[in-house]
């Protein structure tokens, strides 16, 4: 063992040490944000091994991710200076799979069973529905998958549904039972089965149950607030052996109810386990005192919690800045300007994060950062223009603009479903190659050939493509997109998808479409928008590690940054209207816990922003109120800004004049952009001192003559950020990116 093992307890604060040394019975450690939860778990295992209370194989340690398990195993191995591979350390599913391999025959499986994923689940359910003649239009296969997964998360077996008060309908019990039968026939299990089968084996086989209960002297559980009811029952079965269980969690950070997590398992700890010890870790090592004060004051509004008071020896820190804006564009301009200031002060981009309640709201920030040349990455999701539904709609627009766009055709020919299979696509591709035609032309040729059978849905699709193309110049581009979404039944398709899957990414798809429509309003025509998208896709390849992080609040849990921007703090957005409508007070409390998680991601500084006008209805009279969570923050710890951005309807109209009327207003990012536009490429170092840069030589002026490869010669009429309005000699006025223009002396 390493020499420093003699004083490892001295590396812990008083409460951490009490938790580590308390080895007997049931213990719940309420670990506040940034209080050293991982250290306590690691040192707990270390303590058990050093004191020789158990061998590694007698410890059952449960984490929620394989990554967390690997990191914990590595830390402990390093500390004790020998491998601990025999220790049972892993996720609920991985540990259950290990047990199930050893006694699979007891549930009718072979030891080489296959664990299927969600796609395989869907295919199998679909097959069963077809076989049983169940109408899948009303209740789709995804609906049944969602309901069955929900039952398994609660630890409910197929044969128990009929007696369960939560029974959905008569079909669910039938499909669930047939699905389980089919899985056994195929020697397969899904993830929910891994835990359910273990429960079944333990309940029906006392010899096996006693074997494992005797084996595990200590049970340790990480992120206890995130377990579901099925996992709770699983733990209780193991606990009945030596009755030593050590759970670490934070009821104030329970934010995953949508995937089955039930915080009441933590809140009922004293009921579920015998005479437990409750230990609170309240010293925060991450954030300033002011941030902790705001987070603590906010979370006190929740009733369903044990309660704790975070404190810190860190400095007081800056007040939280709250800023309101008229539109999202103003919001993104403000945030990007603040980030430019941080860059000029040599703050690393990796220490800056922007957190959103809704993933769709990244769009305006992404556009802004791309135009300014600021690198960014999205954690836990895709960039806005890489999201499936956005790429689908863009493919529709590309195809009606260019009939030869085969990639766009292939993407949307069967979205929504039109009965186009591999065989049909193969015929279309073959005809196109042999006759030197585009895929659209080849399909049209097949439709005109009476000898070839083509389903009516494909015919209607082709006719609509031509119709939309014909009228695209008669409608503005926003009306055109809305027409395509309606005519193609794409919105109906998304609604059906979202209704049947409990996944935040899917639940955000409609919001993404709304945000997409809003993005169109920044462009005069469809050509200008498609040109913009091409530029965006050209610039998303940056792989630098020094990037700003954009992510949802859910994805941010467990992470920390020096500077955090919290966007979209408006009623209806945050707290989510959907959560309030569906879950009432329970939903509100989870949203407040999410706000708590967001606030405690910051080490030094927080900016909260909200938008006055409805994010999706700028032309309407709908207005947003600031989030109630802003009102719940302590007044002496926050500061409301009073800037030129705030609630100023004329701000965007005269923004460009402000930008170009003063050298002082040209931010480093804007200088980079305009420098590139003039073919003056700058090797920009984000960490350099921008005050030493020579004054920017800006030569473009209103009235300057320019040349465009497509539209020819013209004259600049107006600036619009990284774009200009140009009056061309031989065509209409257009809005063009600066990078595509050449200056004519």
């Amino acid at each position: 063992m390493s020499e420093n093992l003699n004083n490892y307890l001295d590396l812990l604060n008083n409460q951490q040490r009490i938790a580590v040394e308390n080895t007997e019975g049931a213990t719940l450690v309420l670990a506040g944000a940034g209080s050293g939860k991982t250290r306590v778990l690691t040192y707990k295992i270390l303590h058990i091994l050093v004191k020789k209370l158990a061998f590694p194989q007698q410890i059952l340690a449960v984490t929620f991710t394989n990554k967390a398990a690997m990191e914990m195993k590595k830390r402990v191995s390093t500390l004790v200076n020998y491998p601990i591979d025999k220790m049972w350390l892993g996720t609920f599913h991985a540990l259950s799979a290990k047990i199930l391999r050893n006694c699979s025959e007891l549930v009718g499986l072979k030891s080489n069973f296959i664990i299927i994923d969600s796609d395989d689940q869907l295919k199998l359910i679909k097959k069963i529905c077809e076989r049983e003649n169940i109408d899948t239009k009303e209740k789709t296969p995804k609906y049944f998958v969602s309901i069955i997964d929900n039952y398994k998360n609660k630890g409910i077996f197929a044969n128990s549904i009929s007696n369960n008060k939560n029974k959905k309908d008569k079909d669910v019990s039938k499909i669930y039972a047939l699905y389980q039968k089919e899985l056994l026939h195929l020697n397969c299990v899904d993830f929910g089965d891994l835990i359910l089968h273990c429960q079944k084996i333990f309940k029906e086989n006392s010899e096996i149950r006693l074997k494992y209960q005797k084996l595990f002297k200590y049970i340790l559980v990480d992120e206890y607030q995130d377990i579901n009811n099925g996992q709770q029952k699983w733990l209780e079965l193991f606990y009945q052996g030596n009755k030593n269980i050590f759970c670490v969690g934070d009821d104030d950070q329970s934010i995953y109810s949508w995937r089955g997590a039930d915080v009441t398992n933590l809140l009922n700890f004293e009921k579920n386990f015998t005479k437990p010890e409750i230990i609170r870790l309240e010293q925060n090592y991450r954030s300033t005192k002011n941030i902790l004060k705001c987070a603590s004051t906010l979370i006190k509004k929740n009733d369903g919690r044990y309660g704790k008071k975070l404190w810190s020896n860190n400095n007081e820190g800056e007040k939280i800045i709250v800023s309101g804006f008229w539109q999202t564009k103003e919001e993104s301009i403000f945030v990007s300007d603040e980030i430019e200031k941080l860059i000029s002060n040599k703050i690393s981009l990796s220490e800056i994060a922007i957190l959103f309640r809704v993933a769709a709201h990244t769009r305006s920030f992404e556009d802004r950062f791309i135009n300014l040349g600021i690198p960014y990455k999205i954690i836990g999701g895709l960039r806005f223009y890489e999201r499936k539904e956005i790429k689908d709609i863009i493919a529709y627009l590309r195809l009606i603009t260019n009939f030869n766009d085969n990639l766009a055709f292939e993407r949307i020919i069967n979205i929504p479903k039109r009965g186009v299979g591999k065989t049909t696509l193969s015929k279309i591709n073959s005809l196109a190659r042999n006759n030197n035609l585009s895929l659209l032309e080849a399909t049209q040729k097949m439709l005109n050939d009476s000898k070839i059978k083509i389903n009516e849905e494909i015919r209607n699709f082709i006719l609509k493509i031509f119709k939309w193309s014909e009228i695209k110049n008669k409608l503005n581009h926003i009306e055109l997109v809305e027409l395509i979404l309606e005519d193609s039944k794409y919105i109906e398709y998304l609604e059906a998808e979202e209704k049947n899957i409990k996944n935040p990414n899917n639940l955000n798809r409609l919001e993404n479409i709304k945000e997409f429509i809003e993005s169109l309003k920044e462009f005069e025509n469809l050509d200008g928008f498609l040109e913009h998208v091409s530029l965006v896709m050209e610039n998303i390849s940056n792989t630098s590690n020094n990037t700003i992080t954009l992510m949802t609040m859910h994805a941010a849990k467990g992470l920390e940054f020096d500077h955090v921007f919290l966007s979209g703090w408006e009623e209806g957005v945050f707290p989510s209207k959907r959560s309030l409508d569906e879950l009432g007070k329970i939903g509100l409390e989870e949203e407040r816990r999410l706000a708590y998680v967001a606030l405690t991601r910051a080490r030094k500084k927080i900016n909260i922003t909200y938008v006055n006008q409805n994010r999706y209805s700028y032309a309407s009279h709908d207005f947003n109120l600031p989030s109630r969570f802003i009102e719940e923050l302590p007044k002496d710890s926050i500061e409301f800004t009073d800037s030129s951005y705030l609630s100023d309807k004329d701000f965007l109209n005269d923004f460009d004049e402000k930008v170009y009327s003063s050298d002082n207003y040209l931010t480093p990012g804007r200088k980079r952009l305009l420098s590139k536009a003039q073919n003056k490429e700058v090797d920009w170092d984000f960490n350099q001192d921008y005050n030493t840069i020579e004054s920017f030589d800006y030569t473009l002026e209103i009235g300057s003559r320019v040349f465009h490869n497509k539209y020819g010669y013209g004259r600049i009429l107006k600036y619009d950020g990284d774009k200009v309005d140009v009056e061309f000699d031989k065509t209409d006025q257009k809005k063009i990116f600066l990078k595509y223009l050449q200056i004519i002396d």
Side-chain angles (χ1 to χ4, degrees):
M1 294 187 182
S2 62
E3 295 179 0
N4 64 351
L5 287 182
N6 294 326
N7 64 349
Y8 66 92
L9 291 174
D10 296 336
L11 302 176
L12 305 172
N13 65 38
N14 185 55
Q15 289 300 102
Q16 291 173 338
R17 182 165 181 161
I18 291 172
V20 168
E21 291 187 304
N22 190 34
T23 56
E24 302 305 309
T27 303
L28 173 63
V29 178
L30 294 170
S35 63
K37 164 181 74 69
T38 304
R39 167 168 285 202
V40 167
L41 272 169
T42 304
Y43 278 57
K44 181 76 173 186
I45 298 171
L46 174 65
H47 186 69
I48 292 171
L49 295 174
V50 169
K51 296 300 180 181
K52 298 182 180 180
L53 302 175
F55 293 108
Q57 61 266 34
Q58 294 176 309
I59 301 173
L60 177 68
V62 189
T63 63
F64 263 81
T65 65
N66 290 314
K67 181 182 178 182
M70 293 299 294
E71 288 179 355
M72 191 172 295
K73 184 175 288 188
K74 185 179 179 180
R75 287 190 187 188
V76 177
S77 295
T78 301
L79 287 168
V80 298
N81 201 27
Y82 65 79
I84 54 168
D85 295 333
K86 291 183 178 181
M87 193 173 100
W88 287 64
L89 173 58
T91 65
F92 278 100
H93 295 116
L95 296 171
S96 295
K98 188 175 179 179
I99 293 170
L100 192 56
R101 296 283 182 197
N102 294 329
C103 38
S104 55
E105 71 281 356
L106 296 176
V107 288
L109 292 166
K110 297 176 182 176
S111 60
N112 63 341
F113 61 81
I114 302 296
I115 304 171
I116 65 172
D117 60 18
S118 55
D119 287 339
D120 290 329
Q121 277 185 282
L122 193 61
K123 290 175 183 176
L124 191 54
I125 294 288
K126 185 178 179 181
K127 178 182 175 182
I128 294 170
C129 289
E130 289 174 351
R131 191 177 67 206
E132 297 299 317
N133 295 317
I134 292 175
D135 185 4
T136 55
K137 289 184 178 179
E138 183 181 353
K139 297 183 180 71
T140 67
K142 287 180 180 179
Y143 167 82
F144 288 112
V145 168
S146 177
I147 296 298
I148 291 171
D149 282 348
N150 191 41
Y151 278 128
K152 290 185 177 183
N153 286 338
K154 293 178 179 178
I156 300 172
F157 295 84
N159 58 7
S160 305
I161 293 182
S162 58
N163 300 319
N164 192 281
K165 63 181 181 180
N166 294 318
K167 181 183 178 183
K168 302 296 182 198
D169 54 53
K170 62 181 181 180
D171 290 330
V172 172
S173 177
K174 180 180 180 181
I175 295 296
Y176 189 0
L178 290 171
Y179 172 65
Q180 293 302 109
K181 185 178 179 180
E182 192 71 21
L183 284 174
L184 287 176
H185 177 71
L186 297 171
N187 196 38
C188 293
V189 297
D190 61 26
F191 284 99
D193 283 330
L194 293 171
I195 293 172
L196 273 186
H197 283 322
C198 281
Q199 288 186 47
K200 181 178 174 67
I201 290 169
F202 281 14
K203 288 178 179 179
E204 296 178 356
N205 299 271
S206 59
E207 191 176 330
I208 300 292
R209 181 178 69 251
L210 290 170
K211 171 189 170 183
Y212 283 100
Q213 287 177 344
K214 185 179 179 180
L215 172 63
F216 299 126
K217 288 188 175 182
Y218 293 96
I219 303 167
L220 291 82
V221 187
D222 190 16
E223 303 289 1
Y224 185 64
Q225 77 281 345
D226 293 333
I227 71 167
N228 60 42
N229 293 330
Q231 291 162 344
Q232 175 67 25
K233 293 175 182 178
W234 187 92
L235 286 172
E236 289 175 5
L237 285 167
F238 287 105
Y239 166 74
Q240 294 302 323
N242 289 285
K243 296 190 175 183
N244 293 324
I245 188 167
F246 183 84
C247 299
V248 180
D250 185 2
D251 47 332
D252 293 333
Q253 296 189 70
S254 179
I255 57 174
Y256 296 119
S257 65
W258 47 269
R259 69 183 188 193
D262 189 349
V263 71
T264 58
N265 289 312
L266 184 149
L267 297 176
N268 291 334
F269 192 87
E270 293 171 284
K271 297 179 182 178
N272 296 329
F273 302 102
T274 306
K275 297 180 179 179
E277 186 80 19
I278 310 295
I279 300 170
R280 289 170 171 80
L281 302 184
E282 297 175 311
Q283 183 175 359
N284 177 283
Y285 294 92
R286 177 186 301 158
S287 307
T288 65
K289 291 178 180 178
N290 197 68
I291 291 172
L292 293 182
K293 180 181 178 181
C294 289
S296 298
T297 302
L298 179 76
I299 201 63
K300 282 180 183 177
K301 299 289 183 179
N302 275 7
D303 293 328
R305 59 190 297 265
Y306 269 105
K308 56 186 171 299
K309 186 177 181 180
L310 293 183
W311 62 276
S312 175
N313 285 326
N314 295 336
N315 59 39
E316 198 69 28
E318 298 182 48
K319 291 185 177 182
I320 290 178
I321 306 298
V322 180
S323 308
F325 304 93
W326 190 249
Q327 295 180 5
T328 56
K329 188 173 182 180
E330 294 176 61
E331 182 186 41
S332 62
I333 290 171
F334 169 80
V335 171
S336 65
D337 282 358
E338 290 299 302
I339 289 173
E340 294 277 19
K341 294 175 185 176
L342 293 174
I343 292 171
S344 68
N345 289 323
K346 299 184 179 181
I347 301 298
S348 172
L349 294 182
S350 62
E351 291 299 337
I352 304 171
I354 309 176
L355 309 186
F356 308 86
R357 177 61 180 88
V358 180
H361 296 170
T362 66
R363 196 273 311 168
S364 63
F365 292 89
E366 289 187 64
D367 282 353
R368 184 76 182 157
F369 293 155
I370 287 168
N371 291 339
L372 294 178
I374 298 176
Y376 72 93
K377 62 182 177 183
I378 292 184
I379 302 294
L382 297 170
R383 295 169 183 258
F384 185 80
Y385 293 106
E386 293 177 317
R387 294 168 191 170
K388 178 187 179 301
E389 56 277 12
I390 304 304
K391 292 176 76 172
D392 288 345
I393 299 303
I394 290 174
Y396 273 100
L397 296 176
R398 282 170 47 184
L399 186 58
I400 67 171
T401 305
N402 178 10
F403 292 158
N404 295 319
D405 194 332
N406 290 341
L407 291 174
F409 179 90
E410 285 191 290
R411 181 174 186 88
I412 62 172
I413 180 63
N414 204 39
I415 297 177
K417 299 287 185 185
R418 299 187 180 93
V420 181
K422 291 182 180 179
T423 303
T424 304
L425 269 177
S426 179
K427 289 179 180 178
I428 295 172
N429 272 288
S430 179
L431 184 63
R433 284 194 305 270
N434 295 335
N435 295 273
N436 196 27
L437 301 171
S438 70
L439 296 182
L440 180 66
E441 292 170 330
T443 308
Q444 189 181 22
K445 186 177 177 67
M446 291 173 67
L447 291 172
N448 294 331
D449 190 338
S450 58
K451 297 179 181 179
I452 302 176
K453 292 183 178 179
I454 297 286
N455 74 50
E456 199 62 27
E457 285 194 68
I458 298 177
R459 184 183 301 278
N460 290 335
F461 169 72
I462 299 299
L463 290 174
K464 284 177 180 177
I465 292 294
F466 288 122
K467 180 186 90 173
W468 296 330
S469 179
E470 186 179 341
I471 65 173
K472 74 180 177 74
N473 294 323
K474 299 177 183 178
L475 301 174
N476 69 52
H477 52 302
I478 298 169
E479 292 171 336
L480 177 64
V481 170
E482 290 173 339
L483 176 66
I484 292 172
L485 288 168
E486 183 180 352
D487 267 8
S488 66
K489 297 184 178 179
Y490 192 84
I491 294 297
E492 292 181 23
Y493 158 73
L494 284 188
E495 288 174 340
E497 289 279 299
E498 294 188 358
K499 185 170 62 176
N500 300 309
I501 297 183
K502 285 193 173 183
N503 185 319
N505 293 327
N506 292 321
L507 294 176
N508 286 331
R509 286 182 176 178
L510 287 173
E511 280 81 3
N512 287 339
I513 294 296
K514 293 174 183 176
E515 180 64 30
F516 176 80
I517 293 172
E518 281 306 315
S519 72
L520 295 172
K521 296 179 181 179
E522 298 177 15
F523 302 88
E524 288 193 353
N525 52 51
L526 183 59
D527 290 340
F529 172 73
L530 292 176
E531 184 178 279
H532 170 72
V533 172
S534 298
L535 176 67
V536 168
M537 300 310 291
E538 179 186 328
N539 281 274
I540 65 173
S541 59
N542 189 300
T543 57
S544 170
N545 290 324
N546 190 29
T547 61
I548 294 170
T549 301
L550 280 65
M551 70 186 105
T552 64
M553 296 174 187
H554 284 98
K557 188 174 178 295
L559 302 177
E560 56 187 77
F561 305 88
D562 282 349
H563 301 270
V564 174
F565 294 85
L566 304 178
S567 168
W569 280 47
E570 306 118 28
E571 280 295 305
V573 175
F574 189 51
S576 162
K577 185 176 183 300
R578 186 197 296 265
S579 293
L580 299 186
D581 289 346
E582 293 180 358
L583 300 171
K585 183 181 178 182
I586 293 174
L588 174 60
E589 293 207 343
E590 178 152 334
E591 291 288 292
R592 190 176 282 113
R593 291 195 292 269
L594 189 57
Y596 174 85
V597 167
L599 290 167
T600 54
R601 297 313 92 197
R603 300 190 192 101
K604 296 179 180 179
K605 188 174 181 180
I606 296 174
N607 283 80
I608 295 174
T609 59
Y610 66 90
V611 172
N612 295 135
Q613 283 193 316
N614 190 301
R615 289 178 180 267
Y616 306 126
S617 307
Y618 291 164
S620 76
H621 296 290
D622 294 335
F623 295 94
N624 292 318
L625 293 172
S627 169
R628 70 187 69 187
F629 298 151
I630 295 175
E631 183 66 25
E632 292 174 0
L633 298 174
K635 299 298 181 290
D636 59 345
S637 297
I638 62 175
E639 180 180 328
F640 288 87
T641 60
D642 183 18
S643 70
S644 60
Y645 302 93
L646 188 60
S647 301
D648 184 358
K649 286 187 255 187
D650 297 323
F651 170 74
L652 293 180
N653 295 330
D654 63 11
F655 177 69
D656 303 323
E657 295 179 16
K658 293 179 183 178
V659 169
Y660 298 107
S661 63
S662 169
D663 287 341
N664 294 330
Y665 205 87
L666 287 169
T667 63
R670 189 167 298 281
K671 291 178 182 180
R672 292 194 296 276
L673 176 72
L674 296 175
S675 181
K676 289 180 181 180
Q678 298 177 79
N679 296 316
K680 296 180 180 179
E681 294 290 335
V682 177
D683 184 13
W684 200 268
D685 181 359
F686 281 102
N687 293 314
Q688 68 177 290
D689 185 353
Y690 297 116
N691 295 323
T692 65
I693 301 295
E694 296 180 5
S695 60
F696 182 68
D697 181 21
Y698 182 67
T699 58
L700 285 177
E701 299 176 352
I702 301 294
S704 292
R705 291 284 288 172
V706 293
F707 178 79
H708 188 274
N709 288 335
K710 182 177 181 181
Y711 303 119
Y713 293 93
R715 192 175 301 278
I716 293 177
L717 297 178
K718 180 185 176 184
Y719 292 106
D720 185 12
D722 55 327
K723 301 179 288 294
V724 289
D725 289 346
V726 181
E727 184 179 44
F728 288 100
D729 297 347
K730 296 183 179 181
T731 187
D732 298 332
Q733 178 180 323
K734 297 185 182 296
K735 194 180 293 292
I736 304 292
F737 280 98
L738 285 168
K739 69 172 287 183
Y740 296 124
L741 295 174
Q742 297 177 32
I743 304 168
I744 308 300
D745 295 328

